Amino acid sequence: MKGIITALMVSYDQDGNLNEKGLREIIRYNVDVCKVDGLYVNGSTGENFMISTEEKKEIFRITKDEVKGQVPLIAQVGSVNLREAIDLAKYATDLGYDALSAVTPFYYKFNFNEIKHYYNSIINAVDNKMIIYSIPFLTGVNMSLDQFAELFENEKIIGVKFTAGDFYLLERMRKKFPEKLIYGGFDEMLLPATVLGIDGAIGSTFNVNGQRARQIFELGKQGKIEEAREIQHVTNDLISEILDNGLYQTIKEMLKEKGVDAGFCREPMEKLSEERIAKARSIAKNHL
């Protein structure tokens, strides 16, 4: 489960209902066009924290059915509701997902013992593997090197999706845990993370920019830093334009420009104005 892994986008219709046809088209675009190495399902990019348990299960089911073993699948099952997380972990494991992931529990400012209990409770309930999803700027949960080490004492916890800007901690983790999988989570910092020895990256912009991400990753691994840096510059120009226009909404409009029924975002995310839709389509024409 190394390499470039897309944080999978999900298609919803104008009323916010899951659009199965569109989801299948997004999956196919990622696998067939972007040529990614795997899919990370029901993460932030899939608008996971705004949908019901049953909708999450349906997304897991559709994705597994559409992929048919072509690439590895990681199921993000994390939730503030531990019972829901365990239920989703069992469901995804029964479907045959290659690994689980779970965001650190958030909102209530849980202490580390509670966080450790959360991870061990989820992964010990199933015959599967766990990848910690660390995203401090959204959860407010910052863990130290020693705390990661304590979590990694559970052999079923095999790695971390590291969506943080603390590259000193990233370097320390790489040195201390050579056997664990470390995934970069910031697409705009893929090259420096690659130089520090990550095993792969999980990102939202890979839904449209997966091929360039692979080039950056592979060139970085080969030590061809100048070449990789030029592609990172192009990628970051693209990312800047996407962020200025609205991250998830813009990626969906870019996918539509490529013939993919990517749908809309769930409320309370806003729908783009006609002007911003035109901007998104222009970004796609200029960069894809």
Side-chain angles (χ1 to χ4, degrees), residues 11-283:
S11 180
Y12 302 99
D13 67 22
Q14 293 205 56
D15 296 320
N17 300 308
L18 179 62
N19 175 6
E20 178 173 346
K21 173 181 173 292
L23 173 56
R24 289 181 182 273
E25 290 184 14
I26 293 172
I27 293 165
R28 291 263 56 88
Y29 190 84
N30 271 284
V31 175
D32 300 336
V33 178
C34 293
K35 305 287 186 182
V36 296
D37 298 303
L39 299 176
Y40 186 88
V41 186
N42 276 334
S44 307
T45 308
E47 302 164 59
N48 172 77
F49 304 107
M50 299 187 292
I51 61 178
S52 70
T53 303
E54 290 309 310
E55 287 171 318
K56 294 172 187 179
K57 289 181 176 179
E58 187 68 356
I59 292 165
F60 284 141
R61 183 194 66 78
I62 292 167
T63 304
K64 179 66 177 179
D65 178 70
E66 184 63 38
V67 169
K68 293 182 172 61
Q70 288 178 275
V71 296
L73 298 176
I74 301 171
Q76 198 292 125
V77 300
S79 170
V80 178
N81 181 343
L82 180 56
R83 292 185 179 185
E84 180 192 40
I86 292 172
D87 180 32
L88 291 171
K90 291 178 178 178
Y91 185 81
T93 298
D94 288 344
L95 283 175
Y97 272 67
D98 299 276
L100 306 175
S101 183
V103 67
T104 47
F106 52 91
Y107 187 81
Y108 288 106
K109 300 187 183 302
F110 298 98
N111 64 42
F112 179 70
N113 286 335
E114 292 168 331
I115 292 170
K116 182 178 178 181
H117 172 72
Y118 164 89
Y119 279 112
N120 287 336
S121 296
I122 296 170
I123 199 57
N124 289 340
V126 295
D127 182 17
N128 210 329
K129 304 174 288 290
M130 169 65 70
I131 296 162
I132 297 164
Y133 180 12
S134 178
I135 184 166
F137 80 100
L138 289 182
T139 62
V141 179
N142 285 281
M143 292 190 292
S144 68
L145 189 67
D146 288 342
Q147 288 173 332
F148 276 110
E150 198 168 330
L151 293 176
F152 287 151
E153 288 175 2
N154 187 329
E155 293 182 355
K156 296 172 75 175
I157 300 178
I158 62 169
V160 57
K161 179 189 177 191
F162 189 84
T163 309
D166 186 349
F167 275 29
Y168 175 62
L169 177 58
L170 175 61
E171 182 274 334
R172 293 288 82 189
M173 290 179 66
R174 179 71 293 165
K175 183 175 187 295
K176 186 166 185 175
F177 310 115
E179 77 287 358
K180 298 296 183 180
L181 292 169
I182 300 178
Y183 300 97
F186 277 133
D187 307 5
E188 61 270 34
M189 295 191 284
L190 175 55
L191 177 56
T194 300
V195 171
L196 288 174
I198 58 172
D199 297 289
I202 300 170
S204 56
T205 64
F206 302 164
N207 281 278
V208 292
N209 197 50
Q211 291 189 20
R212 285 197 191 97
R214 176 185 297 284
Q215 291 174 330
I216 294 167
F217 183 67
E218 292 182 350
L219 288 168
K221 287 288 188 184
Q222 295 165 18
K224 298 178 180 178
I225 303 304
E226 290 294 336
E227 294 176 56
R229 185 161 54 199
E230 286 305 312
I231 301 170
Q232 186 74 71
H233 288 328
V234 172
T235 288
N236 285 1
D237 288 343
L238 168 61
I239 291 173
S240 293
E241 291 191 43
I242 290 173
L243 291 175
D244 287 344
N245 200 56
L247 176 59
Y248 301 134
Q249 298 96 324
T250 299
I251 293 175
K252 288 188 175 185
E253 292 299 329
M254 292 174 71
L255 285 167
K256 290 178 189 176
E257 181 65 26
K258 304 304 288 185
V260 177
D261 182 11
F264 303 86
C265 290
R266 290 286 290 260
E267 293 181 345
M269 288 190 184
E270 64 179 350
K271 290 183 171 62
L272 295 185
S273 64
E274 289 301 320
E275 180 181 357
R276 289 168 69 192
I277 289 173
K279 175 62 176 176
R281 299 297 180 94
S282 174
I283 294 170

